[in-house]
Amino acid sequence: MMSARSRLSTATLLGLCKDPMLDIQKLKVVYGTGHLRVDAVKDVSFHVEAGAAYGLVGESGSGKSTVLRAICGLAPISAGQVFVDGKEVKEPRDKAFYRTVQMVFQDPYASLHPRHTVDRTLSEPLAIHGERDAEVRILQALREVGLGPSFRFRYPHQLSGGQRQRIAIARALILRPKVLLLDEPTSALDASVQAEILNLLDELRRKMGLTYILVSHDLAVVAHLCERLLVMRHGEGVEETTAVALRTGRASNAYTQELIEASRGFSRDTVKTASAAL
Amino acid sequence: MAGAPPLPQPSGLQAWLLSSEPASRWQARLGRGYLGWRAFTKNPLAVLGLAIVILLVLVAILAPLIAPYSPVAGGDLRTERLLPPSGTFWFGTDDQGRDIFSRVVYGSRITLWVVMLVAVIATPIGVMIGTVAGYHGGWIDTVLMRITDIFLAFPRLILALAFVAALGPGIENAIIAISITSWPPYARIARAETLTIRNSDFIAAVKLQGASTPRIIFGHVIPLCISSVIVRVTLDMAGIILTAAGLGFLGLGAQPPMPEWGAMVATGRNYLIDQWWVAAMPGLAIFVVSLGFNLLGDGLRDVLDPKAAK
Amino acid sequence: MTTPLLEVEDLRVRFHLRTGTVEAVRGVSFQLGRERLGIVGESGSGKSQTGRAILGLTPPPGEVTAKRLTFDGIDLLTASRRTLRHLRGGRISMVMQDPKYSLNPVMTIGEQIIEAYRAHAKSASRSEARDRALAMLEAVKMRNPARVFELYPHEVSGGMGQRAMIAMMLVTEPDLLIADEPTSALDVTVSMEVLRILDELVSERGMGLIFISHDLKLVSSFCDRVLVMYAGRVVEELEAKNLREAKHPYTQGLMRCLPTLADDVRPLPTLNRDPAWAL
C-alpha cells in the first residue's frame, strides 16, 4: 500500500512539472449514421503524465477499448482532440506517431501472424522504419521480455500463450515508443501467466520510463498496474479515481462500488436463506 | 549451406527438422515444410496424384529420349497407317502413320505448357484483384468484384471460343483465352480469405507499426490466402486441361501437326468404331493427368487448408 | 448425504493424434452429492475434458476409460445410446462458456426451450411446454419472459443469452448440471447475477452442480468443495472455505499470483512449476 501511494505522489509531481504525455479532450467516437448510428465513446477526457500508468475500466460495450483504438487510429476520432507528447494527433498518422505510440492486443493467439516466425514479426517494424542492426535489436528485444535467443526462429504455434504475449510486447517495444497502449493484455492468459506478464510490464515501465494506458475489466489488475483510472460505462466516463481509493474501497459512484463488490468474488449474502436450506 | 550448425541430436535430420527451437530462418522453414510433407504423404491418393504430375513433368522434359519416333513426321501411309497397338507401336498409329505413343509423349509438353502458363497468368491476377478488393473494401471492392462477376458470368469454354475466334486459332491464343476466363474464382477466394484476415489483430498490429498498404497486402495478407488459391488452382488444372483439349478438339487450339491431345482425340473421332486406339490413347492421357491434378489438389487442401478439408 | 449422485473413479481421456497419444485426463476420481463442486485448473489441466467425458461429449478421436463412471447407479460407459440420450439434457445438463455458440441462431429462444422440454417429457402438450418455458425464463430472472420468449439468440445480450441457456438446460429439472466456465464470457456484474440464479436453483431443487472454471477466487466463493486439477490430475481436493489452508504448492501458487484489491504485492509471486506435480 505504501509503495503505491509513494508512486502516486511521484507521478503527480512529474505531472506538475511536465506537460502530459497524453491528453484526451472530449473524445467522441461515432460509428455509422442515421438509425445505425452508435456513439461508442461520448465526450471522454483524461490526461496521463509521462511515466504514469492510467487505467480504463468498464464492462463490455463501455467504450474502453474504443478509446484506445481511437488514439492509435484503429477507430475514428469523430470529435475532440488527442494530444500525444504535446502534439495534436492528425489523420493520417505519420510514421513518427507510430514510433511514439504502440499497442499490445488482448489475444496473443490472434495478434501474431501465424505464418511468420518471431524473427520476422520483430524485424517487420525495424524494416518499416528503416532501422539498421536488426540482428542486435531483435536479440535485445527478446532479452528485454525475458526470452532467450532460442525463441527467435519459432512460429507462433510453437509458443505458449504467455510467450506469445511476451513477443507481442517485444514487438511493441522494439521501436522504443514512449506510450504503450495495453488492451486487456492478460485477460486471455492463465492466472499464473498473468502474474508474469504484469510483473514484466511493471518492470519495463520502470526501466524504460514508459507511459501506459491499460484497458481492463479486472479492477485488481488495473489497481496493480495503474495509479489513476477512469471507470467507463455506456461510452462515458463515470468516475475518475485512484488505485489507492479502489483499494480502500472509497468510490463515490454506485457503479464503481458495484464493480468493486463483484471483483471480490461471489457473495451469498443476498441469498443466505436459500443456501441455508441445503 | 543454411548456416546452421550440424545436427546435434542422435536421431539426425528428422529431429533437426522437427526441432521446437530452430536456430535459423532456414531450419524453421524447412521444418515447417517437412511437417506439411509428412501430412501430405499420409494420404496415398495425394501421393499418387503427385507422382502422376511429376511423371508428366519428366515425360515432357525427356520427350526426345522417351519417344521412339517423330511426333509429326508421317509414316508410310500404305503399311503404317492405323495400326493397332503392338510391340513396335505401343499405342498404335494414326491416320498419318504416326506413332501415337510418341505423339502422346510430345503432347505432354503442350499440356504442361498450357497448365504452367495459365497458372502463371491467372493466379497472380486473381490473387491481386481479390486481395486488393478485400483489403480496401468500399468502392474499390465494388468495382473490382463487379468486373469479376462479369467474367464469372461467361461459361469458360464459350468465352474462350469467342476470344480464339477474335484472335485467331492457335495454342497461345487458347492459353490467353483460358487464363482470362480462369482468374475470377481465384479472385473470389482471395477476397473471401482477405475479408477474414483484414480485421485480425495481427494486421492491426502491423498497421500500427506504420506499414504501407502494399506492404501489408504482399507481406501479410497474400501469404495467408495463397494456400487456398493454390489448392483451387491445382483442382482447376484438370478443367484447364480439358478446356485446352476441348479447344483443340474443336480445331481452335493447337494446330496440326502439333501433337495436342485434344486435337488427337478429334482426329480419332473418325475411326472411333474400328480403330478405337487413335482417340482412346490421347483420351486416356487427358484422363490420367486430370485425375493426377485432382488428387494432388485434394491432398494439398488437407495440408494447406485444414478448414476446408473437414 | 445419501448415496452419491455421481461416482467417478480413475477417469482417463486419451487422444490418439498423429504425433502420438495425449492423455488429457489421467485418473480423476471423485464423488458428487447434491452439492456444488468446483473444478479449477489452468488451460490444459483437463478440467473441461473431465466435464465433457461425464456427459459422453468427448470430441473424436478421444477415448474415455474409467474404472467406474456411474450416475445414480447407471453406468455411463456401458449405457446404450438411448439411455445416454435420455440422460443428456434430461437428468444431466451442461452449460457452456459462450451462449453464442450453444444456442441455435435460427430458432427463437422460446422454441428452443420448448424443444428441450418436449424431447424429454414426450407426453407434455405444447401449451404445457410453453408454460414451463415461460416459468423457466422467469426463474432465471428475465425481466420480461414473454418478450424474451419470442427473441432470437442474436437479439439478446451475452448475459441474457447465458440465462436463456441456463433456462433451457434446467427446464427438464436435471439432477446434475455441469457448467463449464458459465460466466467467463460475461461481465462481472452480470456474471454475479447468473451465479446467484444457479445458486438458488441448486439450493431449491437439490441439484448437483459441477462448476468448471479457471477462476479460483470465484470458485472458492461459490462452491462447497473444490478439486484443483493440474496436468490431467486432481492435485488437491478441499472444502472451498479452507482454500486459504491449501497444502499443495500449485494451489497455493494459484492463490497468490492473483493481484487483489486487498493488498499490493509487487512483484506478484509467480508459479514455479515443479515437474513432479505432473507425475
Side-chain angles (χ1 to χ4, degrees):
Chain A
M1 183 80 83
M2 268 321 287
S3 69
R5 200 163 271 159
S6 59
R7 192 179 315 250
L8 178 76
S9 56
T10 43
T12 326
L13 276 175
L14 281 172
L16 289 175
C17 51
K18 265 192 199 171
D19 279 337
M21 176 57 80
L22 214 97
D23 194 359
I24 314 287
Q25 292 178 2
K26 290 196 174 294
L27 175 69
K28 260 192 226 274
V29 178
V30 180
Y31 289 114
T33 51
H35 70 286
L36 292 173
R37 180 183 157 116
V38 178
D39 292 56
V41 177
K42 305 168 204 163
D43 287 332
V44 167
S45 305
F46 61 90
H47 64 96
V48 190
E49 293 83 19
Y54 193 85
L56 294 176
V57 186
E59 301 188 303
S60 52
S62 65
K64 56 187 194 305
S65 287
T66 313
V67 172
L68 271 205
R69 298 178 87 86
I71 294 172
C72 66
L74 294 175
I77 298 176
S78 309
Q81 288 154 309
V82 174
F83 295 92
V84 174
D85 209 1
K87 289 187 283 288
E88 185 174 0
V89 173
K90 293 274 181 219
E91 313 262 2
R93 288 162 180 75
D94 53 6
K95 279 194 175 176
F97 173 83
Y98 296 117
R99 299 187 71 115
T100 318
V101 180
Q102 278 292 318
M103 179 152 163
V104 176
F105 294 84
Q106 173 175 10
D107 184 358
Y109 289 86
S111 69
L112 299 182
H113 195 288
R115 298 273 166 97
H116 287 176
T117 58
V118 169
D119 179 67
R120 172 88 195 268
T121 299
L122 294 182
S123 57
E124 196 72 3
L126 297 176
I128 292 167
H129 291 268
E131 300 273 333
R132 297 214 198 109
D133 48 273
E135 194 76 9
V136 181
R137 294 193 50 181
I138 289 170
L139 290 174
Q140 190 192 349
L142 284 174
R143 211 165 35 240
E144 278 165 5
V145 295
L147 297 175
S150 69
F151 287 89
R152 184 169 166 196
F153 296 105
R154 293 198 199 177
Y155 285 97
H157 68 87
Q158 294 169 316
L159 303 170
S160 69
Q163 288 164 349
R164 285 173 190 229
Q165 200 57 302
R166 283 171 191 265
I167 297 295
I169 293 171
R171 170 177 62 188
L173 291 180
I174 202 162
L175 289 172
R176 294 277 168 258
K178 293 178 182 163
V179 179
L180 209 51
L181 309 176
L182 304 162
D183 188 3
E184 303 257 14
T186 59
S187 66
L189 305 173
D190 278 328
S192 59
V193 182
Q194 162 171 290
E196 289 170 19
I197 297 292
L198 289 179
N199 287 342
L200 175 70
L201 288 171
D202 225 8
E203 182 197 317
L204 288 171
R205 174 156 77 108
R206 222 169 335 104
K207 267 194 202 155
M208 302 186 176
L210 293 163
T211 307
Y212 285 170
I213 300 188
L214 172 73
V215 161
S216 180
H217 67 279
D218 189 331
L219 283 188
V221 166
V222 172
H224 183 82
L225 219 54
C226 306
E227 295 90 22
R228 290 193 304 135
L229 58 122
L230 180 69
V231 180
M232 289 186 67
R233 190 183 199 186
H234 305 321
E236 284 168 288
V238 170
E239 181 182 10
E240 191 176 61
T241 180
T242 63
V244 178
L246 276 193
R247 289 187 189 287
T248 47
R250 279 187 283 117
S252 55
N253 186 280
Y255 179 66
T256 314
Q257 200 60 47
E258 198 182 338
L259 287 180
I260 295 175
E261 291 300 324
S263 77
R264 294 204 170 117
F266 180 70
S267 155
R268 202 157 273 132
D269 292 344
T270 46
V271 282
K272 214 153 209 168
T273 44
S275 44
L278 187 81
Chain B
M1 127 209 134
L7 333 170
Q9 289 94 339
S11 36
L13 186 63
Q14 195 180 2
W16 182 77
L17 283 170
L18 294 180
S19 163
S20 59
E21 299 176 6
S24 71
R25 234 156 269 167
W26 275 102
Q27 190 183 355
R29 263 182 221 156
L30 286 173
R32 201 186 167 84
Y34 177 66
L35 271 182
W37 172 248
R38 283 223 310 202
F40 183 79
T41 50
K42 286 268 186 263
N43 179 350
L45 282 177
V47 177
L48 177 67
L50 180 67
I52 292 174
V53 173
I54 290 176
L55 188 71
L56 173 76
V57 174
L58 285 181
V59 167
I61 293 171
L62 304 174
L65 300 177
I66 297 170
Y69 305 96
S70 157
V72 286
D76 188 334
L77 287 183
R78 281 164 305 173
T79 56
E80 291 178 336
R81 190 164 174 268
L82 297 171
L83 292 180
S86 65
T88 335
F89 302 107
W90 291 351
F91 286 5
T93 60
D94 66 3
D95 58 343
Q96 304 290 317
R98 294 172 295 202
D99 176 34
I100 294 179
F101 177 69
S102 303
R103 283 178 68 76
V104 167
V105 166
Y106 272 94
S108 66
R109 289 189 159 185
I110 298 171
T111 301
L112 197 63
W113 180 238
V114 171
V115 160
M116 268 173 35
L117 274 182
V118 170
V120 166
I121 297 170
T123 315
I125 297 178
V127 169
M128 277 314 302
I129 289 183
T131 48
V132 169
Y135 184 77
H136 281 284
W139 65 269
I140 296 181
D141 183 31
T142 312
V143 169
L144 288 178
M145 290 330 282
R146 289 306 78 78
I147 295 174
T148 311
D149 284 344
I150 292 169
F151 276 91
L152 211 53
F154 287 104
R156 176 185 286 185
L157 193 61
I158 308 287
L159 190 63
L161 275 175
F163 263 94
V164 172
L167 300 171
I171 191 76
E172 292 79 13
N173 291 343
I175 289 170
I176 294 172
I178 295 172
S179 303
I180 285 172
T181 52
S182 39
W183 65 264
Y186 310 150
R188 284 241 160 150
I189 293 174
R191 176 174 174 270
E193 293 274 324
T194 307
L195 287 180
T196 63
I197 298 165
R198 181 174 71 171
N199 293 324
S200 60
D201 282 352
F202 59 84
I203 296 295
V206 72
K207 263 190 216 164
L208 292 192
Q209 285 152 11
S212 61
T213 304
R215 188 178 187 99
I216 296 174
I217 290 182
F218 281 102
H220 299 259
V221 176
I222 288 184
L224 279 177
C225 44
I226 199 77
S227 47
S228 34
V229 173
I230 287 177
V231 170
R232 179 65 194 256
V233 170
T234 316
L235 288 170
D236 269 3
M237 282 307 163
I240 289 166
I241 292 167
L242 291 176
T243 310
L247 287 174
F249 182 86
L250 296 170
L252 297 169
Q255 294 302 300
M258 277 175 84
E260 201 274 326
W261 294 346
M264 288 165 70
V265 175
T267 351
R269 190 177 46 164
N270 302 327
Y271 316 101
L272 203 57
I273 307 299
D274 300 314
Q275 286 89 22
W276 55 269
W277 55 90
V278 182
M281 290 306 177
L284 195 67
I286 294 171
F287 168 72
V288 169
V289 172
S290 306
L291 183 70
F293 274 109
N294 264 337
L295 293 177
L296 178 65
D298 268 343
L300 284 179
R301 180 173 55 201
D302 293 350
V303 176
L304 296 176
D305 197 6
K307 276 177 295 179
K310 277 176 191 153
Chain C
M1 210 180 287
T2 51
T3 48
L5 193 61
L6 181 76
E7 283 183 86
V8 180
E9 198 186 333
D10 198 28
L11 176 74
R12 287 169 190 274
V13 180
R14 289 189 198 87
F15 289 93
H16 302 288
L17 302 173
R18 212 157 47 196
T19 44
T21 300
V22 178
E23 208 168 17
V25 179
R26 308 182 304 150
V28 166
S29 306
F30 64 89
Q31 294 190 335
L32 177 82
R34 300 189 178 269
E35 57 177 331
R36 286 168 290 241
L37 174 73
I39 302 185
V40 185
E42 297 190 295
S43 51
S45 62
K47 57 185 193 301
S48 289
Q49 290 302 340
T50 303
R52 286 167 169 269
I54 293 167
L55 267 177
L57 291 178
T58 303
E63 176 206 16
V64 179
T65 58
K67 284 211 184 93
R68 196 178 163 83
L69 182 61
T70 58
F71 169 76
D72 203 12
I74 305 162
D75 188 340
L76 293 176
L77 287 174
T78 56
S80 67
R81 279 170 172 275
R82 237 183 87 90
T83 320
L84 275 182
R85 208 166 45 229
H86 185 71
L87 284 178
R88 270 205 296 258
R91 298 191 60 198
I92 313 178
S93 284
M94 186 157 189
V95 177
M96 306 275 199
Q97 177 170 355
D98 200 333
K100 272 202 289 278
Y101 303 112
S102 317
L103 290 170
N104 183 345
V106 296
M107 266 170 96
T108 63
I109 286 168
E111 279 302 316
Q112 292 187 52
I113 300 177
I114 288 182
E115 191 174 77
Y117 182 61
R118 294 185 66 186
H120 292 278
K122 296 250 160 49
S123 56
S125 72
R126 225 190 127 69
S127 65
E128 205 180 312
R130 197 188 145 84
D131 291 344
R132 290 277 314 164
L134 281 172
M136 209 56 233
L137 284 173
E138 212 173 324
V140 292
K141 309 267 154 61
M142 292 285 192
R143 281 197 197 92
N144 189 347
R147 201 178 83 85
V148 176
F149 189 89
E150 303 293 339
L151 295 178
Y152 286 91
H154 67 90
E155 294 173 307
V156 301
S157 67
M160 269 162 89
Q162 194 62 303
R163 279 182 283 172
M165 187 72 203
I166 291 173
M168 187 167 121
M169 286 301 147
L170 294 180
V171 73
T172 54
E173 307 215 338
D175 295 306
L176 170 62
L177 179 71
I178 300 176
D180 188 356
E181 306 265 10
T183 58
S184 49
L186 306 177
D187 284 328
V188 268
T189 48
V190 181
S191 71
M192 286 308 135
E193 214 168 303
V194 168
L195 288 178
R196 210 152 283 150
I197 293 162
L198 276 181
D199 191 60
E200 255 177 56
L201 293 167
V202 171
S203 336
E204 281 167 14
R205 304 183 179 210
M207 183 175 71
L209 173 71
I210 298 182
F211 189 93
I212 300 168
S213 175
H214 67 284
D215 191 336
L216 197 56
K217 195 161 61 177
L218 188 69
V219 167
S220 62
S221 61
F222 180 71
C223 295
D224 306 313
R225 204 151 53 93
V226 180
L227 302 180
V228 181
M229 284 189 71
Y230 181 77
R233 278 171 186 280
V234 175
V235 291
E236 189 160 17
E237 179 181 344
L238 64 169
E239 295 294 311
K241 57 180 184 292
N242 300 336
L243 202 68
R244 300 236 158 248
E245 287 107 65
K247 299 268 175 339
H248 198 279
Y250 177 65
T251 319
Q252 293 173 344
L254 271 191
M255 291 285 292
R256 267 193 236 119
C257 68
L258 282 171
T260 59
L261 281 182
D263 42 13
D264 186 9
V265 186
R266 207 172 288 264
L268 289 165
T270 52
L271 199 59
N272 287 315
R273 285 150 208 277
D274 187 341
W277 301 345
L279 292 179

